[in-house]
Amino acid sequence: MTNPVRTIAIDGPVASGKSTLGFVLAQRLGYLYLDTGVMYRALALAALQAGVPTDDEAQLEELLQHTRIEVQAPNVNDGRRQTVLLNGQDVSWEVYQPQVERHVSRVAAFPAIRRAMVREQRRIAAAQPVVMVGRDIGTVVMPDADLKIYLRASTEARAQRRYHELRARGQQVELADVMQQLRQRDAQDTERADSPLQPAADAVILDNTALNVEETLQRVWTLIVGRTVSEH
Ligand code: DC
């Protein structure tokens, strides 16, 4: 029996657990995993490296035209979920630097940048079964996705998760700062005019404040199995 759920969109705010869920789900299904956030992060990093102001849409667009961003399956066994290449250089970890984090929401708010990224994401989605993770996947990138999940969790739970994640990566951060930046990025992502973060009308909203990864996965798996059975 083939699985009719071939395109899965996962959206949600910072540290809602969407990348972790998307990754384990893609592995279990044998689908391509694409966390689209790294594409915006790679452009923000490219801008910082080139000295291009991250509040200048025209210059960013120009930069993007001359920048090669590639997202591949991990080719190094160091805990990464994707390998990110910026003009052929491995920046899989650099894209998570605090400096990039401070600028990325601004870069991602520009319509010209979003248009180019969405075009590329749709091209990838058309080629194979995929679990795609981001902010606008169910609303804009794959409005016809077979399953749309919108993950949410309390701000406190998300700040805790991000704090532990950053500490585990060796970054000397404080919880209060993590919380403040998370709030700021949430606000930027939900208040922007172009493709703001919001659940698609037909998304399943899942609050995982009190759920661990395995429990969250189990809920989503039940949805997939339910759809598979109901189609036959
Ligand atoms: O999911 P993330 O933290 O890696 O995303 C980085 C930024 O990119 C985030 O602030 C919002 C933006 N983003 C977006 O606007 N649309 C997407 N599909 C993915 C990310």
Side-chain angles (χ1 to χ4, degrees):
M1 183 160 68
T2 54
N3 186 347
V5 181
R6 294 174 64 79
T7 46
I8 301 177
I10 304 179
D11 292 296
V14 176
S16 54
K18 55 194 190 307
S19 305
T20 305
L21 170 68
F23 185 70
V24 290
L25 200 55
Q27 278 198 320
R28 195 185 261 205
L29 290 163
Y31 290 4
L32 178 78
Y33 166 70
L34 179 65
D35 178 358
T36 57
V38 298
M39 297 169 70
Y40 294 96
R41 285 170 179 269
L43 180 61
L45 178 63
L48 293 167
Q49 286 178 348
V52 167
T54 53
D55 58 358
D56 187 324
E57 184 172 16
Q59 281 199 60
L60 284 172
E61 193 181 6
E62 166 83 15
L63 175 69
L64 182 56
Q65 279 163 7
H66 299 99
T67 301
R68 207 157 28 91
I69 297 169
E70 295 164 274
V71 187
Q72 306 174 344
N75 59 352
V76 180
N77 187 12
D78 61 357
R80 67 180 61 184
R81 294 180 180 137
Q82 310 180 108
T83 286
V84 186
L85 301 178
L86 180 58
N87 297 321
Q89 242 199 317
D90 190 336
V91 294
S92 308
W93 292 111
E94 278 91 330
V95 294
Y96 294 101
Q97 283 169 354
Q99 172 83 333
V100 172
E101 210 119 278
R102 272 196 292 278
H103 290 263
V104 64
S105 283
R106 208 189 300 175
V107 170
F110 289 123
I113 302 304
R114 303 202 66 80
R115 262 197 306 277
M117 297 296 192
V118 168
R119 201 181 310 124
E120 177 65 8
Q121 290 154 10
R122 285 187 179 149
R123 194 185 61 72
I124 295 168
Q128 66 250 286
V130 65
V131 178
M132 204 180 286
V133 173
R135 301 290 189 293
D136 61 340
I137 309 304
T139 51
V140 178
V141 181
M142 305 198 302
D144 297 327
D146 297 322
L147 178 65
K148 300 180 185 178
I149 304 289
Y150 187 90
L151 273 191
R152 60 164 56 128
S154 73
T155 308
E156 291 70 24
R158 293 185 293 119
Q160 283 281 356
R161 285 177 198 163
R162 182 46 58 98
Y163 171 77
H164 290 298
E165 205 176 286
L166 293 173
R167 283 271 169 166
R169 280 187 209 145
Q171 292 184 22
Q172 294 307 307
V173 289
E174 297 305 326
L175 182 59
D177 297 336
V178 172
M179 175 97 84
Q180 199 233 335
Q181 279 196 18
L182 186 140
R183 284 212 165 96
Q184 203 177 334
R185 209 138 68 83
D186 276 356
Q188 278 177 304
D189 294 341
T190 50
E191 288 163 17
R192 72 183 178 216
D194 187 345
S195 325
L197 170 66
Q198 58 182 0
D202 53 350
V204 176
I205 297 177
L206 190 56
D207 189 312
N208 67 5
T209 304
L211 302 179
N212 63 28
V213 175
E214 190 49 43
E215 291 163 333
T216 308
L217 177 65
Q218 201 44 52
R219 304 271 167 116
V220 176
W221 197 252
T222 305
L223 291 170
I224 294 174
V225 171
R227 291 189 189 199
T228 305
V229 169
S230 67
E231 295 242 338
H232 288 83

